[in-house]
Amino acid sequence: MKNLKSLQRNLRSDVNEESHHIVQPQGIRWRSHTLFIVSTVIVGLFSETFLYGIVIPVLPFILQDRMGIAQDELQSHSSMLLAAYAGSSVIFCPITGALGDKLASRKLLFIAGLVILIVSTILFFLGQSMTALVIARCAQGASCAFIWTAGFALCFDTVGSENTGKTLGMVLGFVNLGALFSPPLGGTVYSLAGLPAVATIAMGLLAFDLIMRLLLIEKKVAARYISDGFAVAEQMNPKTSKTELGDLESQVGSLPIFNCGDEPNDYHIPHRESSILNHLPVLLCLRNSSLVAALVTCGIQSAILSSFDATVSLEARELFEFSPLKTGLLFVPLGCFRLALAPLGGWAVDRFGTKVVATGGYMFLSLVLAFFRVTKPEPWDIYIALYCVLLALSGIGMAMVGTTSFVEARMVIKEYHEHNPDLFGGNGPFASISGMNLMVFNLGMTVGPLIAGHLRDKLGYGNMNTILAFLASFSAIASFFWLGGKPALLRTKL
């Protein structure tokens, strides 16, 4: 008996000595904490969005003063540079998604995106030719794909299914903050101190962003060092997703129009010999109607959002004869309500499910868009006030539906990962689905202004918004029938 106890003590001593040889990174607990990881993602996405917006007001001056572009050619050259950014991001999103699932670390992809962003920013501010500016904008579009895909995948890996909507709502809220204030800040700083001051702000933000990304430690990496890291590692295990989804299913399962479950066989994917599908297995998941509906509504959502950017300023200038300052202030109610209510919309998705929030949100948005068609009353002050109220209500609608497609796609893809654990690899398909979602979103942001501008020129502003209202209604119908599965009211008992 004494020999047995002695042997146990020796074994325990050997284990302790071996564990002391593992050198933990300094500050591993706070560097791998959920709050720090999410904060790093917020700073990363904020930086990319902020740098996109801060150069918009100075772009015409760069083209005219540095490149010598004629006044009547500024619009076409500016549009070309914006299209280069959007087109590059659309192309690189699926590539970075597939790459993110193959790499062992999301952090590596996240840092690579920042390096590309730093290079593109330097090239943009120092470039002396249109070719250099186009390359810089294409590189920034590529960095957008890297940063957003890796950032969303990090959030998915970190917070768990029950907090996805709330977390994405908070993240998108801060991103909206950067999109809202970066253009006026860029214009103001350029007017007061010139282009070097704008570049200094950009590089300072990138330096702070780089420090946070280098400090970040993923939870699955931290679990190798922390003795009580089982709870950390458990979040990374796809087999725990049923537990994570339990609360959500119990909440939404009581709603008569929601169906949280499909048969397991619906998610089973038979082995395929196709080499393309073996490298991009997420494409096999597109047979799921809920996933397709999530991607379609994501594209419609971004197209509607970008239509405001393309038409509000022109309508304000031509109809109200607003100055640039007053025109910019029109975006405040739209942006502020999206910023303030985005976390609340994400919480509602976690609490009530994607079907309920998306259906209600798109129905509300379609009604608001239809009211833009109302006859212009007299006096003008009343109509301007009504116009601002409608923009604010549009911001509320966009905040409601902002996270629905991303959360739905994540929930569907997680079911596929559970039922096909060997198909997607150890990291799962979460970076791939993030890249696919972002590709569709950026595609909507690209074609939305073109379609909205064409409809406004041919049919008028009111009729344009009527068509957008029909698109929102279509999204509401698609959300009701397909997001979250088939509605319980339409199920038949066999």
Side-chain angles (χ1 to χ4, degrees):
M1 194 68 177
K2 291 182 179 179
N3 292 335
L4 180 59
K5 290 182 179 180
S6 176
L7 178 61
Q8 288 176 342
R9 283 194 300 269
N10 291 335
L11 288 174
R12 196 176 295 116
S13 175
D14 292 341
V15 171
N16 290 335
E17 289 179 4
E18 185 178 352
S19 64
H20 287 305
H21 291 299
I22 303 176
V23 180
Q24 291 186 4
Q26 292 293 325
I28 186 173
R29 292 187 180 273
W30 65 264
R31 291 169 63 186
S32 63
H33 194 277
T34 298
L35 180 61
F36 182 77
I37 294 176
V38 173
S39 298
T40 303
V41 172
I42 288 174
V43 171
L45 302 189
F46 177 88
S47 298
E48 195 280 326
T49 306
F50 185 86
L51 291 182
Y52 172 83
I54 199 173
V55 302
I56 289 179
V58 306
L59 187 57
F61 298 97
I62 292 177
L63 291 174
Q64 194 168 32
D65 299 340
R66 188 193 302 173
M67 306 299 168
I69 304 298
Q71 179 71 31
D72 58 350
E73 296 180 355
L74 286 179
Q75 181 63 64
S76 60
H77 282 77
S78 297
S79 299
M80 179 179 64
L81 291 176
L82 294 176
Y85 170 90
S88 177
S89 63
V90 169
I91 293 172
F92 276 92
C93 274
I95 297 175
T96 55
L99 185 62
D101 288 332
K102 299 295 183 183
L103 295 175
S105 172
R106 314 283 197 197
K107 177 181 176 180
L108 180 62
L109 195 67
F110 205 38
I111 293 178
L114 180 59
V115 172
I116 297 173
L117 182 58
I118 292 174
V119 172
S120 68
T121 302
I122 295 174
L123 182 60
F124 179 84
F125 284 113
L126 299 180
Q128 298 296 319
S129 66
M130 275 300 301
T131 302
L133 292 186
V134 170
I135 293 175
R137 295 299 285 175
C138 288
Q140 188 179 1
S143 72
C144 168
F146 276 81
I147 292 170
W148 282 75
T149 299
F152 273 31
L154 274 171
C155 283
F156 292 158
D157 291 346
T158 302
V159 302
S161 298
E162 71 277 9
N163 295 314
T164 300
K166 180 170 57 180
T167 303
L168 289 185
M170 180 177 62
V171 170
L172 294 177
F174 280 98
V175 171
N176 292 336
L177 182 67
L180 180 63
F181 291 107
S182 56
L185 178 62
T188 303
V189 172
Y190 182 83
S191 300
L192 296 176
L195 189 62
V198 179
T200 300
I201 293 176
M203 298 310 297
L205 179 61
L206 290 174
F208 177 73
D209 188 5
L210 178 61
I211 293 173
M212 290 197 69
R213 296 194 201 198
L214 291 175
L215 289 175
L216 181 146
I217 297 178
E218 297 177 66
K219 286 189 177 292
K220 60 184 177 183
V221 175
R224 304 172 191 166
Y225 298 96
I226 302 175
S227 58
D228 56 346
F230 176 78
V232 177
E234 193 175 16
Q235 292 189 32
M236 315 309 303
N237 189 349
K239 295 183 181 299
T240 64
S241 58
K242 284 296 184 183
T243 303
E244 295 173 352
L245 288 171
D247 293 339
L248 181 62
E249 291 178 349
S250 64
Q251 292 164 359
V252 298
S254 59
L255 296 173
I257 62 172
F258 198 86
N259 171 28
C260 275
D262 290 301
E263 293 298 324
N265 291 335
D266 293 342
Y267 295 102
H268 176 69
I269 298 177
H271 178 70
R272 302 293 181 94
E273 298 297 334
S274 172
S275 59
I276 296 179
L277 294 181
N278 286 338
H279 286 90
L280 295 173
V282 72
L283 295 178
L284 295 170
C285 304
L286 291 176
R287 65 178 188 170
N288 186 284
S289 57
S290 296
L291 180 58
V292 173
L295 295 175
V296 170
T297 55
C298 179
I300 292 176
Q301 175 195 153
S302 63
I304 294 175
L305 177 62
S306 61
S307 70
F308 288 104
D309 297 334
T311 60
V312 168
S313 58
L314 291 174
E315 188 71 9
R317 186 182 65 180
E318 297 177 7
L319 184 62
F320 304 136
E321 298 181 352
F322 274 5
S323 66
L325 176 60
K326 290 183 178 180
T327 300
L329 291 176
L330 281 178
F331 289 92
V332 172
L334 176 67
C336 283
F337 277 93
R338 284 184 61 219
L339 168 65
L341 297 180
L344 182 61
W347 171 85
V349 169
D350 289 336
R351 177 64 178 84
F352 302 108
T354 53
K355 182 187 294 295
V356 176
V357 178
T359 303
Y362 281 116
M363 287 178 62
F364 174 80
L365 189 58
S366 66
L367 292 175
V368 174
L369 291 170
F371 270 103
F372 279 100
R373 184 64 180 83
V374 298
T375 305
K376 304 171 184 59
E378 298 288 348
W380 280 109
D381 291 344
I382 297 178
Y383 182 64
I384 293 173
L386 175 62
Y387 192 74
C388 291
V389 169
L390 291 176
L391 288 175
L393 293 175
S394 299
I396 294 174
M398 297 305 298
M400 291 175 64
V401 302
T403 63
T404 53
S405 59
F406 290 95
V407 173
E408 177 69 19
R410 200 259 187 184
M411 291 174 64
V412 171
I413 214 70
K414 191 157 192 174
E415 289 289 340
Y416 275 108
H417 187 34
E418 285 181 16
H419 292 91
N420 307 272
D422 299 327
L423 181 63
F424 300 103
N427 287 331
F430 301 112
S432 293
I433 196 59
S434 297
M436 189 178 295
N437 247 321
L438 293 167
M439 178 190 71
V440 174
F441 188 87
N442 287 329
L443 185 61
M445 293 291 288
T446 304
V447 303
L450 301 176
I451 295 175
H454 179 76
L455 291 175
R456 180 180 178 274
D457 291 339
K458 297 298 182 181
L459 304 178
Y461 186 68
N463 291 328
M464 178 209 74
N465 280 293
T466 301
I467 294 176
L468 293 180
F470 278 113
L471 285 177
S473 299
F474 173 80
S475 291
I477 295 171
S479 299
F480 176 74
F481 280 101
W482 290 294
L483 290 196
K486 190 175 181 181
L489 290 176
L490 300 181
R491 284 181 294 166
T492 58
K493 295 183 179 180
L494 299 178

